[in-house]
Amino acid sequence: MRRFAVFLFVTFVFLPGPGGAEDDPVKKLADIYDSVAFFSEERTGAHPLDRWEEPIRIRLTGPGAERWQATVDEIGRWIADHTGLSVETRTGWFGANLTVSLFETSRESAMAAREDGVHASLTSSKNGNPCFGYYWWEGNQIYQARTFIPVDISVAGTQNCLWEEALQVLGLPNDYCVGEWTLFCEGTNPPKATALDALLVRIHYDRRLRPGMTRAEAKPIVETIIREHLAAGVAWR
């Protein structure tokens, strides 16, 4: 059955207790990954792992597309580097499976998102700026996605929205906001993907994980992957 998931700016907070995740970087990172990968606003409770398994073909459309094409190209290269997938960023109307839609105003972005499947009661905003993304999946394999980005906000705001929504439609739909510098925290607003974002995406696309895995199935594998990255000297802060 084909379905779609909506990614808004919703934060699931997991506060570590004494001697908990804050003292153990593996547990801390595993908790962050668990939050962004297995929860979303559209689905009740934890859901299985969603991920692209096919090449991603991105189409940028809307006002200002020429201005923002270089940013989308950069995002595409980053996604290819961190997922191992083939990514094309200048796809025509036919053949695109990830559409990045730009809109003149935040109101138009929100209205288009509602009309295209986002329920009105679920519309949300980043500092008052509506930016949305969602994907369709089958068998927990993502096969199509769309993001909605307004261009009437600041240049920094549009760039942040382009990056954040692109990463979330990779199958990491939720926000995590407990003092970390990441696109998955709406309060930090980095201009592009951070070291933590890079690690989260690499974890998600490690071939030892598979679409459809539950949190319980993924947890020991995720912790192993994290230990390997940390042992290799990968920075995440």
Side-chain angles (χ1 to χ4, degrees), residues 9-202:
F9 304 97
V10 177
T11 302
F12 284 80
V13 178
F14 295 84
L15 296 176
E22 287 295 344
D23 299 326
D24 181 353
V26 174
K27 188 176 188 307
K28 171 71 171 178
L29 288 164
D31 284 350
I32 296 174
Y33 175 78
D34 179 82
S35 177
V36 300
F38 293 101
F39 295 90
S40 69
E41 172 71 0
E42 179 69 9
R43 293 142 87 177
T44 302
H47 58 76
L49 187 150
D50 298 327
R51 189 171 73 186
W52 292 84
E53 292 290 302
E54 61 184 79
I56 299 176
R57 299 178 298 278
I58 303 173
R59 176 176 182 263
L60 175 63
T61 183
E66 291 185 3
R67 176 181 185 180
W68 291 104
Q69 184 63 62
T71 298
V72 172
D73 290 342
E74 180 184 5
I75 292 170
R77 290 191 296 270
W78 189 96
I79 291 173
D81 288 344
H82 292 79
T83 65
L85 297 173
S86 172
V87 180
E88 177 185 325
T89 60
R90 294 174 181 251
T91 307
W93 181 269
F94 295 102
N97 55 14
L98 197 173
T99 300
V100 178
S101 300
L102 303 179
F103 296 87
E104 288 280 7
T105 68
S106 299
R107 181 175 180 273
E108 291 174 359
S109 174
M111 289 178 62
R114 287 197 296 268
E115 291 170 359
D116 209 30
V118 183
H119 194 278
S121 66
L122 296 180
T123 57
S124 185
S125 63
K126 176 191 284 289
N127 299 326
N129 304 318
C131 304
F132 306 92
Y134 62 85
Y135 59 72
W136 289 268
W137 76 92
E138 189 166 4
N140 297 103
Q141 294 188 25
I142 302 170
Y143 64 88
Q144 187 174 346
R146 187 180 182 190
T147 65
F148 301 78
I149 313 294
V151 296
D152 64 336
I153 56 180
S154 67
V155 171
T158 298
Q159 177 170 309
N160 174 268
C161 283
L162 284 166
W163 274 93
E164 177 179 0
E165 299 308 325
L167 265 61
Q168 292 198 294
V169 298
L170 293 178
L172 298 164
N174 201 28
D175 287 344
Y176 182 96
C177 204
V178 187
E180 299 298 339
W181 181 241
T182 170
L183 287 166
F184 296 101
C185 175
E186 65 203 63
T188 55
N189 298 323
K192 59 180 63 178
T194 69
L196 175 55
D197 299 330
L199 181 54
L200 292 172
V201 172
R202 288 193 185 280

